[in-house]
Amino acid sequence: MDRATLDSLVEARKNRRAVALVTDLATGRQELVAREAVNGVAYADRLAEAFRFDRSGVLATDEGELFLNIFNPPLTLVVVGAVHIAQTLIPMARLAGYDVTVIDPRGAFASQERFPDVTLHADWPDEVLPGLALDARSAMVALTHDPKIDDPALTAAVNSDCFYIGALGSRKTHARRVERLKDSGLSEERIGRIHAPIGLSIGARGPAEIAVSIMAELTQTLRQGDG
């Protein structure tokens, strides 16, 4: 790898930009392709799939074999609400490769005793989220049922590039939430990015099963998109 390519790769990693290092296996020529630029290459669909599935490997093209080395930024999950579901969701998210941050202004919930070894903010979401740089490798779940806590977090998320946004609550609860968010000036398109009721419909009962349904929906969205 030449110095210019290495510097570009280091810069991309530093700025949480997804890039692929493409190596022509016949000539050794290398180039970096950013995820947002995949439509500019002849093998766009297959490169997009490699990004989506974090999958490096050999790609056969009409021009010869290429090796795609995918450098996606680490996945992050922001959990708003230090509740029981969060306690079961966080270990699953970590096993799936997510760096987890918990936000809850209620000090009695957001304690290191309840959430050891987790990045914890006992502050309001609108005070914390501007510093977290939510991007296309970020997911956020709002679990408190408290509009004072959840709504500002959801507003920040729908105005970001988060790949997944979920909110706990029944359809009736979400309908009231939608009206509040509309009144705050958010468009239907942005509000429509919120998955609610949160999680895949698997008949989940209790915090552990609800956490499973959330991780399943989050993973489905990460790998297959919202379509």
Side-chain angles (χ1 to χ4, degrees), residues 15-38:
N15 293 312
R16 286 183 58 84
R17 290 179 56 239
V19 295
L21 177 64
V22 181
T23 303
D24 186 316
L25 293 181
T27 67
R29 189 178 71 85
Q30 293 183 312
E31 66 171 336
L32 279 183
V33 179
R35 183 168 187 169
E36 60 269 22
V38 294

Side-chain angles (χ1 to χ4, degrees), residues 130-153:
L132 296 186
L134 300 173
D135 60 27
R137 295 281 287 178
S138 303
M140 198 195 75
V141 295
L143 305 177
T144 75
H145 275 304
D146 184 339
K148 296 192 303 299
I149 302 173
D150 285 349
D151 287 5

Side-chain angles (χ1 to χ4, degrees), residues 1 21 31 47 59-60 64 70 92 99 106 111 146 152 159 188 191 204 210 224:
M1 183 186 301
L21 177 64
E31 66 171 336
L47 181 55
L59 173 66
I70 300 297
M92 297 180 198
D99 294 331
R106 302 168 297 185
S111 68
D146 184 339
N159 284 317
E188 290 188 9
I191 296 170
I210 293 171
Q224 299 179 351

Side-chain angles (χ1 to χ4, degrees), residues 105-116:
R106 302 168 297 185
F109 291 86
S111 68
Q112 290 293 343
E113 290 74 21
R114 299 184 71 234
F115 294 91

Side-chain angles (χ1 to χ4, degrees), residues 184-202:
S184 74
L186 287 177
S187 68
E188 290 188 9
E189 181 182 5
R190 291 200 180 275
I191 296 170
R193 296 184 59 204
I194 301 170
H195 292 256
I198 195 172
L200 291 185
S201 179
I202 58 173

Side-chain angles (χ1 to χ4, degrees), residues 4-203:
T5 303
L6 176 61
D7 289 345
S8 297
L9 177 58
V10 170
E11 188 70 12
R13 301 287 289 168
K14 178 182 176 183
N15 293 312
R16 286 183 58 84
R17 290 179 56 239
V19 295
L21 177 64
V22 181
T23 303
D24 186 316
L25 293 181
T27 67
R29 189 178 71 85
Q30 293 183 312
E31 66 171 336
L32 279 183
V33 179
R35 183 168 187 169
E36 60 269 22
V38 294
N39 289 333
V41 301
Y43 44 92
D45 290 347
R46 293 152 82 184
L47 181 55
E49 182 176 292
F51 274 117
R52 191 164 61 250
F53 287 93
D54 294 290
R55 187 164 59 209
S56 298
V58 176
L59 173 66
T61 73
D62 292 341
E63 287 73 37
E65 287 189 324
L66 305 174
F67 187 84
L68 308 181
N69 199 342
I70 300 297
F71 291 90
N72 275 326
L75 292 162
T76 63
L77 172 63
V78 177
V79 179
V80 177
V83 297
H84 288 314
I85 294 172
Q87 288 179 300
T88 54
L89 175 63
I90 289 169
M92 297 180 198
R94 283 177 152 176
L95 286 171
Y98 288 81
D99 294 331
V100 180
T101 295
V102 176
I103 303 171
D104 196 322
R106 302 168 297 185
F109 291 86
S111 68
Q112 290 293 343
E113 290 74 21
R114 299 184 71 234
F115 294 91
D117 304 321
V118 172
T119 302
L120 194 60
H121 296 274
D123 298 294
W124 293 90
D126 48 350
E127 296 172 348
V128 178
L129 289 173
L132 296 186
L134 300 173
D135 60 27
R137 295 281 287 178
S138 303
M140 198 195 75
V141 295
L143 305 177
T144 75
H145 275 304
D146 184 339
K148 296 192 303 299
I149 302 173
D150 285 349
D151 287 5
L154 292 169
T155 298
V158 300
N159 284 317
S160 76
D161 291 329
C162 273
F163 75 86
Y164 177 85
I165 306 161
L168 192 65
S170 66
R171 295 187 187 283
K172 185 180 293 185
T173 296
H174 187 59
R176 291 195 293 269
R177 177 187 294 128
V178 168
E179 290 307 311
R180 290 194 306 273
L181 295 177
K182 281 183 180 176
D183 290 344
S184 74
L186 287 177
S187 68
E188 290 188 9
E189 181 182 5
R190 291 200 180 275
I191 296 170
R193 296 184 59 204
I194 301 170
H195 292 256
I198 195 172
L200 291 185
S201 179
I202 58 173

